[in-house]
Amino acid sequence: MYQIVADEADFLVIAKSHDVHFHSQDGTAGVMAKVEQDRGIKLYSVHRLDTLTSGLLLFAKSSGAAAEFTQLFTEHKVQKYYVAIAKGKPKKKQGSIVGDMAKSRRSMYKLLRSKDNPAVTQFFSQSVAEGVRLYLLKPLSGKTHQLRVALASIGVPILGDRLYGGGEADRGYLHAFCLSFTFQGKAYQYTQYPSHGIEFTTPGAVKQLQVWAEPERLDWPKRQ
């Protein structure tokens, strides 16, 4: 369900497995409750990952630390980077995806042409196999389903993301890859490579993930 990445005085960083709920539901403990049970401590949620998404997840260990982290997230001072896989040819291979988001049918969201309070996602992509591309995603906002909607909007829904039209696969191919922030004057950076999923572990994908190992150093596209 998860593994511990870092256990600091004020916070805990874990790597969540794919297809694991964040919140408890249907009588089953979510990942946060499971970590609390296993370690005998109370945790405070400061951000979350969708059920299909694997990767880095941070919990505060006190209400005070939670308030500080919430402020950092609100001010976009916690930078998250994700990797995803999709099949097909995108409308563009790198750049920015910008637009307001609105609720759509079922539990879906959609990207609008308006930009009053937009979701902003910068991205690179690279072909890693015939008809398969790996995407490195840098969200500059924190909207629900933002990355899933962003890739669907350029014609390449995330592989295994059935809600947004992604093809059938052994998992949903979205992973929280890197997390960086400064907390109480100290800089922290964590990287967690995806370890599950056929497409994430092909030679082409593994090689490209290594190229992107320090995403903050890349020459990111300018916001449009």
Side-chain angles (χ1 to χ4, degrees), residues 33-224:
K34 187 73 169 67
V35 178
E36 288 181 322
Q37 290 170 6
D38 291 347
R39 302 188 74 81
I41 58 175
K42 177 168 177 54
L43 296 174
Y44 297 79
S45 168
V46 292
H47 73 128
R48 62 184 296 275
L49 293 177
D50 290 342
T51 299
L52 68 79
T53 309
S54 60
L56 295 168
L57 188 55
L58 184 151
F59 296 108
K61 289 185 175 181
S62 68
S63 57
E68 288 186 59
F69 274 113
T70 298
Q71 188 66 26
L72 290 175
F73 275 99
T74 300
E75 296 173 356
H76 308 299
K77 291 181 178 178
V78 179
Q79 187 55 62
K80 296 176 286 182
Y81 300 89
Y82 294 75
V83 289
I85 283 181
K87 292 188 174 180
K89 189 175 181 180
K91 293 176 184 175
K92 55 182 178 179
K93 295 179 180 178
Q94 70 175 53
S96 298
I97 303 168
V98 183
D100 292 328
M101 287 180 60
K103 286 188 175 181
S104 181
R105 56 194 173 85
R106 294 185 293 168
S107 303
M108 297 172 69
Y109 288 79
K110 59 184 177 181
L111 197 71
L112 307 176
R113 292 183 181 275
S114 60
K115 298 177 183 178
D116 298 322
N117 180 26
V120 181
T121 305
Q122 296 175 310
F123 75 101
F124 293 110
S125 73
Q126 179 65 46
S127 174
V128 293
E130 184 66 35
V132 179
R133 296 189 77 84
L134 182 70
Y135 293 79
L136 178 63
L137 304 157
K138 180 182 180 181
L140 301 184
S141 50
K143 312 287 187 182
T144 301
H145 290 192
Q146 177 175 328
L147 303 180
R148 298 164 68 181
V149 171
L151 287 188
S153 77
I154 60 169
V156 283
I158 292 169
L159 186 62
D161 186 358
R162 282 175 275 184
L163 183 62
Y164 288 97
E168 289 291 326
D170 58 329
R171 61 160 293 178
Y173 277 87
L174 181 60
H175 176 83
F177 182 47
C178 295
L179 189 64
S180 62
F181 54 89
T182 297
F183 180 74
Q184 296 184 347
K186 183 178 177 180
Y188 296 89
Q189 181 176 314
Y190 302 98
T191 300
Q192 183 75 17
Y193 286 84
S195 58
H196 295 93
I198 294 168
E199 299 292 351
F200 271 146
T201 52
T202 62
V206 169
K207 181 178 179 181
Q208 188 58 41
L209 286 168
Q210 290 169 346
V211 172
W212 287 339
E214 297 184 84
E216 73 285 349
R217 295 180 178 271
L218 299 175
D219 185 16
W220 284 90
K222 294 292 185 286
R223 176 175 169 177
Q224 296 174 347

